[in-house]
Amino acid sequence: MIRLNSLGTKLMLAYLAGMVLSIALLVAVAAVVLQGTFLARLDLADAAEEMAGRVLFDGAGRPVDLQVDDEDHDVGNLAWVFDSLGRETAYRVLDSAGKVALLSPAGAQFWPQGGDLDRLAPGAFDFEREGVVMHGMTQRLERGGATWYFQMAASNRFMTLLHRVAIPLVAGGILAFSLVLLAVFGLGAFITLRYTLRPLREVSESAAAISPRSLHARLDTGAVPAEVGPLVESFNRVLERVEQGYRVQQEFLANAAHELKTPLALIRAQIELEPGGGGGSRDALLRDVAYMSRQVQQLLLLAEASETHNYQFGMVRVEEVAHEAVAYLQRRAEAAGVHMAVSSTGADLRWTADHGALFTLLKNLLENAIEHAPAGSTVDVGIEAHALTVRDHGPGVQAEQLPLLFARFWRGAHRRDLGAGLGLAICQEIALAHGGCLTAEPAGPGLRLRLAVGQTGP
């Protein structure tokens, strides 16, 4: 598809416009030349020079005839022209004194009387004969130390007739040459631009592939043109600054979570060991501490899930990980009156994945489903060759809220606990680290969360 905002398209159009204008200028110049007397003089100059070299001299060094060979078609054609068109064209040879030494069949009456010496200078001249303008050309000859002058003349109407025959041929030749030149030049420009701009397309694709998970990647400056190299280097420096800021943020998040875990544990222990019970205030404090501890733990998991180097990939049995997650949450599901079921389309489906990360993803998806599933319902885990799904039969999510499911700290209105709203965000990070995509869709009733991955094992 042609894009008008493309650099290659603009350069191609500029080249083609330049070529078209050049051809138009050539045609215009040719038209002016063909319609004027310049071409007639040019033709006569060429013919006079050719025929002057064909003058034959006798032993005394005087011109006696023109050399006309049958195999020389050009001179042969000119010879019959002088014989048949004596009123339109003629030639003669004069000595340095202006005396005629050789005449064409048209005879002396073709030439004007007097003034011959004025026309002995080499070059063009004009005269009029019987009301018809004649164009002439003089060529100097040197022979045996003597100087001779070859003169050739043709009528304006004869030259016009020749040009009327020649113009269509010349115009056709120019048109054919222009079309061939346009096609060859256009193809050459297209191939050249495609080859020249290919490094830019490759760099653009590399830049588009950079994400928060691959901030360490840099664009290759070796293959790009020298004019674009500084731009690519500047982009790489920007990536370095972004990566440094991102690393500082992640380290701060992880350090803060680690620093908060110990004080919260101590506060909880102190509350539990406080003599006298404390009644409702004690229970409220324990709930607050549990909520804060869960937030800290999920912040720590989110920081770890965002770092690619924390993953160790290998061949994992997906169904085995699903049963582990179901067993881990069995008590929680029973407390909510929810049943969990696992189904698989294959007996031994394996993915290239990090076992612990995949377990965390499934655990979070099941926790989210349990919190929204009504008592007595079933949460279904479906395993396929390239995807797995977790579906509940709860109230579901409104269509306008689906994009918010994976936003950090967003919580649905129907969940039972006071979660931090980071569970699905952690799942999304894990999915991206596995080259997959986590999506949500209404199941009617309930919600279906689907993880699609690209890498699978045998």
Side-chain angles (χ1 to χ4, degrees):
M1 182 178 64
I2 296 178
R3 295 179 297 176
L4 295 180
N5 198 32
S6 167
L7 178 61
T9 301
K10 290 180 179 180
L11 290 175
M12 183 62 127
L13 291 176
Y15 285 148
L16 292 180
M19 179 59 66
V20 171
L21 289 176
S22 299
I23 293 174
L25 181 62
L26 178 64
V27 172
V29 171
V32 172
V33 169
L34 290 174
Q35 290 179 358
T37 60
F38 174 78
L39 187 62
R41 297 184 184 280
L42 192 63
D43 291 343
L44 282 174
D46 292 339
E49 183 179 1
E50 171 69 21
M51 295 197 64
R54 297 284 180 167
V55 176
L56 297 176
F57 294 87
D58 59 12
R62 294 186 60 81
V64 293
D65 202 353
L66 285 180
Q67 179 183 357
V68 179
D69 299 327
D70 293 338
E71 44 219 31
D72 191 334
H73 301 291
D74 292 337
V75 176
N77 287 338
L78 288 175
W80 77 261
V81 166
F82 292 120
D83 290 337
S84 302
L85 300 175
R87 293 174 57 83
E88 308 297 332
T89 182
Y91 68 85
R92 67 180 180 177
V93 179
L94 301 92
D95 59 18
S96 58
K99 184 178 180 180
V100 176
L102 179 64
L103 282 169
S104 65
Q109 64 273 16
F110 183 92
W111 303 92
Q113 301 298 319
D116 293 339
L117 290 176
D118 295 336
R119 296 194 183 101
L120 291 183
F125 61 88
D126 292 329
F127 62 91
E128 188 172 318
R129 179 174 179 271
E130 298 178 357
V132 178
V133 175
M134 297 289 176
H135 303 297
M137 188 66 61
T138 302
Q139 289 285 339
R140 178 182 294 176
L141 293 174
E142 300 290 342
R143 180 75 176 191
T147 300
W148 303 88
Y149 295 91
F150 179 85
Q151 290 185 332
M152 178 179 176
S155 67
N156 183 63
R157 60 189 179 188
F158 177 62
M159 298 303 296
T160 301
L161 178 62
L162 290 180
H163 292 160
R164 286 181 179 176
V165 175
I167 283 176
L169 298 178
V170 174
I174 292 177
L175 179 61
F177 173 76
S178 301
L179 293 176
V180 172
L181 183 63
L182 189 63
V184 173
F185 183 84
L187 180 61
F190 174 77
I191 295 175
T192 302
L193 288 174
R194 187 174 182 84
Y195 175 78
T196 303
L197 297 178
R198 182 169 59 184
L200 297 182
R201 289 192 295 270
E202 294 174 352
V203 168
S204 176
E205 293 171 358
S206 299
I210 296 176
S211 67
R213 304 196 148 283
S214 58
L215 287 178
H216 62 279
R218 296 294 181 268
L219 301 181
D220 183 15
T221 60
V224 298
E227 293 79 3
V228 187
L231 176 62
V232 178
E233 291 176 356
S234 299
F235 184 79
N236 283 337
R237 288 193 291 270
V238 170
L239 284 178
E240 290 176 1
R241 294 192 292 270
V242 171
E243 182 186 14
Q244 182 179 1
Y246 182 77
R247 297 300 180 205
V248 170
Q249 179 186 9
Q250 292 299 100
E251 290 175 4
F252 170 78
L253 183 62
N255 292 334
H258 277 295
E259 291 295 327
L260 287 172
K261 285 178 66 177
T262 301
L264 286 173
L266 292 175
I267 293 173
R268 181 182 182 89
Q270 185 176 356
I271 294 174
E272 291 176 344
L273 295 175
E274 186 71 25
S281 61
R282 178 176 181 272
D283 293 338
L285 286 173
L286 287 175
R287 284 195 299 271
D288 291 341
V289 170
Y291 174 67
M292 293 176 65
S293 298
R294 180 177 175 81
Q295 281 191 318
V296 169
Q297 182 63 29
Q298 288 197 322
L299 284 172
L300 186 58
L301 285 174
L302 181 60
E304 293 177 350
S306 301
E307 295 290 345
T308 308
H309 62 80
N310 291 328
Y311 294 87
Q312 295 181 354
F313 292 94
M315 298 309 298
V316 176
R317 290 184 174 88
V318 185
E319 188 174 356
E320 179 181 317
V321 178
H323 283 293
E324 290 177 7
V326 168
Y328 180 82
L329 296 172
Q330 188 62 45
R331 288 185 181 181
R332 188 167 182 171
E334 290 175 355
V338 176
H339 177 68
M340 293 181 292
V342 178
S343 62
S344 177
T345 58
D348 189 23
L349 292 178
R350 301 186 185 189
W351 291 359
T352 302
D354 181 287
H355 187 282
L358 187 59
F359 172 82
T360 301
L361 183 146
L362 271 170
K363 177 180 72 67
N364 286 356
L365 293 182
L366 287 171
E367 283 181 344
N368 182 78
I370 291 171
E371 292 303 323
H372 293 86
S377 65
T378 301
V379 173
D380 297 307
V381 180
I383 301 173
E384 304 171 9
H386 301 276
L388 66 83
T389 58
V390 175
R391 181 207 171 168
D392 64 69
H393 293 76
V397 177
Q398 297 179 1
E400 61 270 15
Q401 293 182 332
L402 285 177
L404 301 175
L405 280 176
F406 305 104
R408 299 178 182 183
F409 301 107
W410 184 84
R411 295 188 294 268
H414 303 286
R415 64 183 302 128
R416 296 188 181 89
D417 67 348
L418 297 176
L422 293 173
L424 292 181
I426 295 172
C427 292
Q428 186 70 279
E429 292 292 334
I430 295 174
L432 292 174
H434 286 75
C437 179
L438 185 61
T439 56
E441 58 186 15
L447 184 71
R448 179 183 291 107
L449 292 167
R450 179 182 179 85
L451 171 65
V453 297
Q455 291 182 325
T456 59

